[in-house]
Amino acid sequence: MATTYDYEEAPATYDEGRHQDLGYDPNFVPDSVRSFVVHLYRHIREKNVYEIHQMYESSFQTLSDRLFKDTPWPSVDAVAHYVDNDQVFCLLYREMWFRHLYARLSPTLKQRIDSWDNYCSLFQVVLHRVVNMQLPNQWLWDMVDEFVYQFQSFCQYRAKMKNKTEQEIALLRQYDQAWNVYGVLNYLQAFVEKSNIIQILEQEKEDLEQFTATDGYDYSGGSNVLKVLGYFSMVGLLRVHCLLGDYQTGLKCLLPIDISQQGVYTSVIGSHIATIYHYGFANLMLRRYVEAIREFNKMLLYIYKTKQYHQNSPQYEQILKKNEQMYALLAICLSLCPQVKLVDETVNSQLREKYGEKMARLQRYDDEAFVIYDELFSYACPKFITPSASSFEEPLVNYNQDAYRLQLKLFLYEVKQQQLLSGVRTFLKVYSTISLGKLANYMEVDEPTLRTILLTYKHKTHAVDSDGKIISNADVDFYIDDVGFI
């Protein structure tokens, strides 16, 4: 009797072993890969979301680990005839092909450009044709996430001009529209608009839609692809604007999603973390420390409680990295705005373990403290980008650090301004009432200087929220009466 094997468990044939030994042949398709592609194609046609998700999350990783640890998957031309040369499936296969390439190898400039072309073709199909598919939210999130990541990676790559060859510079000139910032923003915005996701979320509040209740899936025979891509594109827009240093616009793009509630963004752990990380970071840079502390605290508590369930997930390392970065950002927020009562005991205990000593040193506002602020910010901030190409004229210089240096400078300038506040905050906590003269005396400044410090304190402990309202981040507030008492 012939033995049948699952595509994940099939033993390596002689040919598959040869594939490993003799180097990469883009046209060689091992039996297990052919089986994988045929099954995935069939499940997509049948809209079997559960099976698609299993194959996408588990089987693709298993085959990658076993056969393609340090080589790409077979080319799309090699597998196309197994799937009736289906255009949409081939675009989806190439999207996974490039993602695997970026994760395991170093893409060439030509491959970066080809990946951009593939995203353009895939997104054009989704935006302008009737796509009759149900895809797992995990895959749709990964599509948006990887699209933004590859844009960021391209900008970083292009900005390292010093050692570029003449051939690379010629390619950059020739394909100057590849990974163009306007192209990236336009696709994400087009998904938001074409999907009508903002209207859908509004109608959901009035019980006219069931988007969140069904996790974005359409069980009546339609497609979830455009709607869910539109939804995740709002998170993608937040991330791109954070990379560009435009925090106001980024938060504005996320407004339709109510992050105080469970939503489709919480259905995928990577999306949940990316949303809160960028939301919290943008609020930190806009001095909305209380909001940043609240959301970092909730997310860190959630990761603490659930991370054991994600140990076998391909995203596990990324979860741990973002977890550590958010602790560093929380340490910064609490040093600039000491509101420990907003932090859960579990999170606070982890925070003290990781950064207790450094947080104590941050309160001193001396040169050592600024070095620690610099270190925490540099470790935890996004990889900022300069979206425009260089002039390609000699001498060629690297400018990949320019955007990061600018954001660091702005952040440290803000910290420097807060230096005045640590002293006054200490005295305000001790006294319920104190005369201006007495406080000026304690702080060893004259009264006019003290008034300036108190005005600075008021300014720095208040911020403008997304509705344009003034909000307070102060743990201690005060006013000056007619007699000159605080």
Side-chain angles (χ1 to χ4, degrees):
M1 186 178 78
T3 309
T4 57
Y5 291 99
D6 181 76
Y7 40 77
E8 280 187 43
E9 293 159 1
T13 62
Y14 171 76
D15 279 346
E16 286 186 22
R18 187 196 63 169
H19 162 83
Q20 297 285 57
D21 295 339
L22 303 181
Y24 175 62
D25 174 2
N27 297 313
F28 176 68
V29 182
D31 290 346
S32 49
V33 172
R34 186 181 68 226
S35 177
F36 170 82
V37 168
V38 168
H39 280 86
L40 183 60
Y41 176 55
R42 192 183 80 217
H43 292 317
I44 288 175
R45 288 187 63 124
E46 292 170 357
K47 297 186 182 176
N48 189 336
V49 181
Y50 176 77
E51 287 297 339
I52 298 168
H53 189 265
Q54 291 299 104
M55 294 193 70
Y56 173 79
E57 267 285 88
S58 177
S59 313
F60 185 72
Q61 296 303 325
T62 304
L63 287 171
S64 294
D65 288 339
R66 205 175 79 206
L67 298 174
F68 308 108
K69 256 197 166 78
D70 48 17
T71 61
W73 271 61
S75 71
V76 69
D77 294 336
V79 302
H81 62 282
Y82 298 123
V83 293
D84 307 328
N85 291 301
D86 185 283
Q87 184 208 4
V88 177
F89 183 87
C90 287
L91 290 170
L92 289 170
Y93 177 84
R94 283 195 94 205
E95 196 269 333
M96 292 165 72
W97 189 96
F98 281 115
R99 183 140 26 98
H100 170 266
L101 179 82
Y102 268 81
R104 307 272 178 140
L105 303 152
S106 252
T108 64
L109 174 53
K110 188 69 177 74
Q111 285 168 331
R112 290 171 188 273
I113 292 163
D114 290 345
S115 183
W116 163 256
D117 287 341
N118 190 67
Y119 272 119
C120 290
S121 302
L122 177 60
F123 290 171
Q124 292 286 353
V125 167
V126 175
L127 286 165
H128 302 296
R129 286 195 2 214
V130 176
V131 178
N132 194 21
M133 287 187 300
Q134 297 277 357
L135 291 181
N137 285 347
Q138 179 71 60
W139 192 347
L140 295 169
W141 161 251
D142 286 346
M143 235 181 254
V144 172
D145 185 50
E146 184 72 11
F147 180 61
V148 176
Y149 165 71
Q150 288 188 23
F151 163 62
Q152 173 193 309
S153 174
F154 182 84
C155 290
Q156 296 281 355
Y157 165 87
R158 182 178 56 192
K160 293 176 187 168
M161 291 302 296
K162 218 168 187 175
N163 300 318
K164 291 276 184 282
T165 63
E166 283 181 23
Q167 186 192 7
E168 285 175 310
I169 290 168
L171 270 176
L172 284 169
R173 282 180 189 275
Q174 184 184 348
Y175 296 101
D176 61 343
Q177 291 307 298
W179 296 109
N180 175 294
V181 62
Y182 296 113
V184 170
L185 289 169
N186 285 342
Y187 273 121
L188 295 172
Q189 192 58 44
F191 279 133
V192 174
E193 288 171 12
K194 198 80 191 275
S195 64
N196 289 323
I197 189 64
I198 295 175
Q199 294 86 327
I200 289 169
L201 293 176
E202 279 299 315
Q203 288 182 309
E204 193 171 47
K205 289 174 189 168
E206 297 164 30
D207 289 334
L208 300 171
E209 278 282 351
Q210 287 285 296
F211 183 75
T212 304
T214 62
D215 269 341
Y217 293 110
D218 190 333
Y219 295 113
S220 58
S223 169
N224 69 326
V225 174
L226 181 58
K227 278 193 290 191
V228 176
L229 281 176
Y231 182 90
F232 286 139
S233 288
M234 292 189 282
V235 181
L237 285 165
L238 165 67
R239 185 173 159 196
V240 172
H241 287 299
C242 279
L243 294 175
L244 298 170
D246 184 355
Y247 308 109
Q248 293 272 18
T249 305
L251 290 174
K252 205 172 168 185
C253 292
L254 195 71
L255 270 178
I257 299 177
D258 181 357
I259 63 163
S260 68
Q261 304 290 325
Q262 293 281 306
V264 174
Y265 82 97
T266 60
S267 67
V268 177
I269 183 75
S271 150
H272 194 180
I273 290 173
T275 304
I276 301 306
Y277 167 80
H278 290 95
Y279 177 84
F281 185 81
N283 276 295
L284 161 61
M285 294 301 277
L286 293 170
R287 293 209 323 272
R288 300 173 188 166
Y289 304 118
V290 167
E291 188 61 21
I293 291 166
R294 271 204 193 101
E295 292 307 323
F296 284 143
N297 171 62
K298 277 195 285 191
M299 191 69 240
L300 290 166
L301 190 60
Y302 176 77
I303 294 173
Y304 180 81
K305 288 177 176 174
T306 61
K307 70 180 175 190
Q308 72 266 29
Y309 304 119
H310 298 284
Q311 281 174 346
N312 298 322
S313 158
Q315 288 89 32
Y316 189 61
E317 276 180 35
Q318 189 62 13
I319 292 169
L320 294 184
K321 184 187 174 188
K322 279 283 171 271
N323 185 58
E324 292 305 310
Q325 285 180 311
M326 283 190 281
Y327 269 112
L329 292 174
L330 183 59
I332 289 173
C333 289
L334 288 169
S335 298
L336 295 171
C337 173
Q339 297 255 29
V340 184
K341 64 178 186 293
L342 298 173
V343 179
D344 183 271
E345 191 47 53
T346 309
V347 174
N348 195 32
S349 149
Q350 295 276 310
L351 182 68
R352 295 289 151 200
E353 204 176 294
K354 295 172 193 289
Y355 292 113
E357 188 200 336
K358 283 186 176 175
M359 286 176 75
R361 280 148 63 193
L362 286 175
Q363 291 307 311
R364 295 207 292 260
Y365 286 95
D366 51 14
D367 288 346
E368 188 190 2
F370 286 109
V371 170
I372 298 170
Y373 272 116
D374 184 327
E375 176 198 316
L376 291 177
F377 182 88
S378 302
Y379 167 69
C381 69
K383 283 196 168 75
F384 300 108
I385 53 172
T386 303
S388 53
S390 82
S391 63
F392 300 121
E393 302 303 326
E394 296 287 353
L396 296 170
V397 293
N398 290 348
Y399 61 98
N400 55 306
Q401 292 290 307
D402 288 4
Y404 151 71
R405 286 197 194 101
L406 174 62
Q407 294 301 318
L408 176 63
K409 184 179 166 186
L410 290 169
F411 169 73
L412 290 177
Y413 180 66
E414 180 61 42
V415 170
K416 195 94 178 160
Q417 291 180 313
Q418 297 260 8
Q419 194 170 5
L420 288 166
L421 307 186
S422 59
V424 77
R425 186 183 274 126
T426 307
F427 286 113
L428 290 173
K429 280 185 171 177
V430 174
Y431 293 94
S432 56
T433 308
I434 187 172
S435 71
L436 282 176
K438 197 173 177 183
L439 182 56
N441 201 23
Y442 283 149
M443 292 187 66
E444 299 174 0
V445 295
D446 57 27
E447 267 195 50
T449 304
L450 176 62
R451 284 181 181 271
T452 304
I453 292 171
L454 292 171
L455 274 172
T456 306
Y457 180 91
K458 280 285 189 190
H459 172 61
K460 291 298 176 190
T461 55
H462 287 75
V464 182
D465 71 6
S466 52
D467 298 323
K469 291 184 190 139
I470 303 287
I471 50 168
S472 171
N473 292 310
D475 53 333
V476 183
D477 210 355
F478 67 89
Y479 68 91
I480 302 173
D481 66 17
D482 298 340
V483 192
F485 274 83
I486 297 176

